[in-house]
């Protein structure tokens, strides 16, 4: 088969696979085996790279003829090593309903305490114990005490955004039995109630599990089918407002063909799939749940999902959103950049996808992060920042490289993700690829045994940073790029048909060898796969087939990732490498607007903007460039003109030839982060549309306050609807306008002349039945 026909087959296969994924929802969980055990409450977990199972064992199961509740004070919470199938530890006895959390090299076990001389399952205390070796356990401490006339049942716990969240089932008589309550803690010992954080007051729920992924709290709960029970999934960003997955998408359901269930009549069919818990281990999500019929015991079973939990959870909400039927001038001083098309060009192609007016879950998670870091690093670092030259691989030798220093520097200024130039235009690969010798395999660094991408992703995960990878389409070493002509006029350089399979394999390596990747960054400059690149002889555009195949490979191998650039972008460039975005700023690109918004004319729908910014005069480090570093005031202004207008911002960091970011740059970025934090640390007043569900929101202060800064955040999950806002202050007996603007989007930050007032009023107008703000805040601050 010719290389061109092979490419056509790949494109066709990816297209068909994507089409099927869009039209036929299927549960991706694969049931593996029944384990022949009556266990019900179990929790798989990973500790020191080994897989374990926490088990809540009821003693009567082990004694012939015993009934539920017999010998309950001998019930125990124990830990099984799943590699040897041996019980290695018993953290608690006379306890039930155990759950587990691993955090900072310790294992924490939570359970209900039966107490002394109390009836079975009239639990009024939840305790915690912990261990660093699964052998020595701390003395159990009571962390929750039931109210009068209340008992506890199951518990679940997770690490949330900034603290820990614990869920417990309550018998509180004001709600349906087993209603879920949520409490939070910063130290796993002292817990505080979260007002209104309740789920299941109006229906049967039970058997909970709790997880936090990509800004969402996910709760698994038991649904009564009458007859039968199956586990479903719901999610929330604040633990107050919950969104259930569609009813026809159970997380796990029962199989009535299952019989011969432990401890019950062998002719009884399975009618239950409950108490689901899971963890991630060696590339798979490991799932345990129980079958049986909700009487005597369970029928423990194991299932798996090929991917990470966040990918699994998002699958149950996929496509669960309703769909509705002058580019800024480049201000940078660094070339090359993608050049704008001739303003007289009239290129229009019908959009290739449904027109979305709301973000996907991955887009929303990306926009929530707002601020990211860029790392330009490679052979160009060693040759005076010439990204188009192809120096010998041996030249690359960053002897003091420390990816954790990169991660800590990014964290210092508030970045939530980092994008690393895994391969820039010269074609040098920072990982030991099998596709070319022009990589770290032939570098002097670590005698060719190193892998910078591996060190980078490990550091990101250690410091809780989402992972982004930049992969240049253009490859000077291979000899395939595009000319730097304006959009619509670019031409292929080299043999794209021979190069394309090489690029796809490089992409596959990055997407399959390093775990979950959140962000893929495809540069528009020198990209031979661009929508507009043409054959230099025939002058005919090659079209989007290559770029679409690239995007579809990302969707298949990393469904939770978003794509910057390419022919199917989730994110678009703002048009500036100086940290600037246009205003007003729309997240939705309308049909026919593509060229003006730095995407191909075939693109339309929800495509948010990102600006990038180099802190030096060049993207890569070069000698004596510390003197070109921007100052904090410049970075803050860029913050206001990007994030403050609703875009994301990517701030570059430049390791030098040692592999470390220079001290002067580290200090600059740290001071920038501190300045931003200080600016928004103490709002004079803050509220949201949740408290004021109307187009007018008022802030009232106990006494007159001086304010000069406005911050607004729209609820993007419902789309972008605000088209105008007016902030008014009550002065001299009437409302006086002090700040006006148009779009809000992810965030709007606006300074205005300082005023003193006791009352502020925000008036909103735009499209849609309701305008909803996550935040309306005002500050008194110096810029």
């Amino acid at each position: 088969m010719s290389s061109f026909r092979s490419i056509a087959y790949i494109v066709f296969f990816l297209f068909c696979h994507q089409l099927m994924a869009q039209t036929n929802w299927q549960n991706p969980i694969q049931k593996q085996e029944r384990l022949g055990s009556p266990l019900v409450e179990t929790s798989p977990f990973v500790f020191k790279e080994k897989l374990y199972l926490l088990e809540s064992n009821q003693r009567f199961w082990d004694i012939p003829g015993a009934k539920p509740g017999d010998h309950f004070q001998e019930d125990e919470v124990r830990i099984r090593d799943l590699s040897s199938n041996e019980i290695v530890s018993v953290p608690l006895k006379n306890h039930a309903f155990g759950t587990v959390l691993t955090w900072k090299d310790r294992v924490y076990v939570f359970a209900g305490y039966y107490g002394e001389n109390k009836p079975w399952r009239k639990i009024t205390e939840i305790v915690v114990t912990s261990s660093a070796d699964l052998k020595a356990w701390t003395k159990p401490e009571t962390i929750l005490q039931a109210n009068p006339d209340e008992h506890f049942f199951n518990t679940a716990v997770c690490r949330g955004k900034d603290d820990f969240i614990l869920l417990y089932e309550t018998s509180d008589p004001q709600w349906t039995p087993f209603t879920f309550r949520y409490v939070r803690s910063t130290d796993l010992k002292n817990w505080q109630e979260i007002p209104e954080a309740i789920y299941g007051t109006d229906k049967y729920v039970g058997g909970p599990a709790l997880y936090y992924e990509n800004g969402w709290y996910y709760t698994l709960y038991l649904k009564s089918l009458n007859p039968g029970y199956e586990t479903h999934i719901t999610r929330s960003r604040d633990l107050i407002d919950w969104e259930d997955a569609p009813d026809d998408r159970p997380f796990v359901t029962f199989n009535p063909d299952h019989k011969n269930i432990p401890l019950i009549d062998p002719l009884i069919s399975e009618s239950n799939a409950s108490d689901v818990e899971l963890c991630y281990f060696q590339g798979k999500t490991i799932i345990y749940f129980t079958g049986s019929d909700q009487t005597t015991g369970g029928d423990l079973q194991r299932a798996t999902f090929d991917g990470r939990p966040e990918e699994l959870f998002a699958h149950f909400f996929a496509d669960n959103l309703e769909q509705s039927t002058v580019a800024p001038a480049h201000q940078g001083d660094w070339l090359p950049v993608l050049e704008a098309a001739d303003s007289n060009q009239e290129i229009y192609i019908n959009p290739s996808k449904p027109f979305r007016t709301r973000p996907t879950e991955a887009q929303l998670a990306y926009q929530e992060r707002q601020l990211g870091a860029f790392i330009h690093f490679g052979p160009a670092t060693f040759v005076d920042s010439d990204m188009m030259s192809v120096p010998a691989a041996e030249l690359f030798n960053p002897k003091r490289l420390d990816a954790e220093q990169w991660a800590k520097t990014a964290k210092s200024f508030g970045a939530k993700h980092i994008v690393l130039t895994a391969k820039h235009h010269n074609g040098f690969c920072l990982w030991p690829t099998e596709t070319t010798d022009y990589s770290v395999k032939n570098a002097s660094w670590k005698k060719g045994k190193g892998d910078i991408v591996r060190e980078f992703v490990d550091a990101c995960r250690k410091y809780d940073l989402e992972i982004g990878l930049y992969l240049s389409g253009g490859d000077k070493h291979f000899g395939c790029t595009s000319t730097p002509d304006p959009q619509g006029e670019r031409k292929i350089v080299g043999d794209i048909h021979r190069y394309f399979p090489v690029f796809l394999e490089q992409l596959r390596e990055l997407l399959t060898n390093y775990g979950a990747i959140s962000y893929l960054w495809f540069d528009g400059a020198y990209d031979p796969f661009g929508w507009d690149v043409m054959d230099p002889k025939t002058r005919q555009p090659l079209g989007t087939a290559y770029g679409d195949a690239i995007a579809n490979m990302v969707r298949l191998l990393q469904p939770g990732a978003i794509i910057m650039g390419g022919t199917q972008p989730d994110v678009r460039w703002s048009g500036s490498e100086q940290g600037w975005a246009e205003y007003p700023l729309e997240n939705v690109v309308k049909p026919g607007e593509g060229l003006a918004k730095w995407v191909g004319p075939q693109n339309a729908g929800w495509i948010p903007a990102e600006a990038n910014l180099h802190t030096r005069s060049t993207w890569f480090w070069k000698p004596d460039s510390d003197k070109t570093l921007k100052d904090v005031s410049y970075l803050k202004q860029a913050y206001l003109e990007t994030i403050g207008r609703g875009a994301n911002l990517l701030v570059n960091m430049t390791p030098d030839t040692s592999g470390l970011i220079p001290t002067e740059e580290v200090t600059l970025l740290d001071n920038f982060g501190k300045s931003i934090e200080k600016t928004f640390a103490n709002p004079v007043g803050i509220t949201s549309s949740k408290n004021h569900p109307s187009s007018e929101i008022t802030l009232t202060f106990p006494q007159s306050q001086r304010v000069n800064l406005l911050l607004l955040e729209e609820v993007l999950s419902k789309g972008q609807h605000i088209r105008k806002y007016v902030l008014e202050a009550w002065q001299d007996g009437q409302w006086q306008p002090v700040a006006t603007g148009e779009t809000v989007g992810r965030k709007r930050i606006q300074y205005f002349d300082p005023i003193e007032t006791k009352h502020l009023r925000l008036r909103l107008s735009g499209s849609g039945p309701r305008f909803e703000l996550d935040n309306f805040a005002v500050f008194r601050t110096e810029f």
Side-chain angles (χ1 to χ4, degrees), residues 482-633:
S482 74
T483 62
D485 296 319
Q487 292 185 87
E489 302 176 33
R490 298 190 296 166
K491 295 173 283 294
I492 285 288
V493 175
D495 187 344
I496 190 173
H497 306 307
R498 191 167 63 90
Y499 169 56
F500 181 61
V502 174
F503 180 88
L504 272 189
E505 178 59 15
Q506 291 176 350
L507 180 61
R508 189 200 66 80
E509 290 176 346
L510 292 174
L511 297 180
T512 58
N513 292 338
Y514 297 97
I517 307 299
S518 295
Y519 195 16
L520 272 297
W521 218 96
F522 297 130
D523 201 332
Y526 295 100
D527 177 18
F529 310 123
W531 65 269
D532 61 323
V533 176
M534 64 183 70
D535 186 293
K537 295 180 180 178
T538 66
R539 308 287 290 183
Q540 292 297 311
L542 275 73
T544 65
Y546 289 112
D548 290 350
I550 291 167
N552 288 335
M553 177 174 275
V554 176
R555 311 283 186 221
L556 289 172
L557 298 181
Q558 293 280 352
I562 60 165
I563 297 171
M564 162 68 186
T567 60
Q568 296 184 22
D570 299 310
V571 176
R572 62 186 175 89
W573 185 42
S574 74
S576 169
E577 296 185 332
Q578 294 292 329
W580 183 89
E582 63 186 352
Y583 187 82
L585 186 69
E586 297 285 350
N587 286 289
V588 174
V589 176
K590 298 181 179 65
E593 285 187 339
L595 283 177
K597 303 295 185 182
W598 295 97
V599 295
Q602 77 280 6
N603 297 122
W606 190 277
I607 314 176
E610 178 188 77
N612 47 25
L613 166 68
H614 44 87
T615 53
R616 300 171 184 266
S617 59
T618 52
W619 284 108
F620 288 86
W621 178 89
K622 69 176 183 179
D624 301 320
S625 61
D626 282 355
K627 62 187 178 185
T628 70
L629 283 168
K630 311 292 195 293
D631 58 22
V632 170
S633 64

Side-chain angles (χ1 to χ4, degrees), residues 39-41 56-62 68-70 74-76 114 120-121 296:
L39 286 166
V40 177
E41 292 91 10
S56 295
N57 187 64
Q58 297 182 44
R59 178 66 174 131
F60 85 90
W61 290 331
D62 306 324
D70 289 353
E74 298 176 39
D75 290 357
E76 60 186 20
Y114 281 134
W120 182 50
R121 293 203 164 173
T296 308

Side-chain angles (χ1 to χ4, degrees), residues 4 79 85 252 257 556 606 619:
F4 180 78
I79 294 174
N85 201 35
V252 178
D257 292 336
L556 289 172
W606 190 277
W619 284 108

Side-chain angles (χ1 to χ4, degrees), residues 96-131:
F97 300 116
T99 192
V100 65
L101 171 76
T102 58
W103 179 251
K104 291 188 176 179
D105 299 321
R106 290 191 74 85
V107 174
Y108 294 82
V109 172
F110 300 79
Y113 175 47
Y114 281 134
E116 301 298 332
N117 302 315
K118 290 184 178 180
W120 182 50
R121 293 203 164 173
K122 298 296 183 181
I123 294 172
T124 58
E125 295 177 54
I126 296 174
V127 306
V128 64
T129 180
S130 69
S131 173

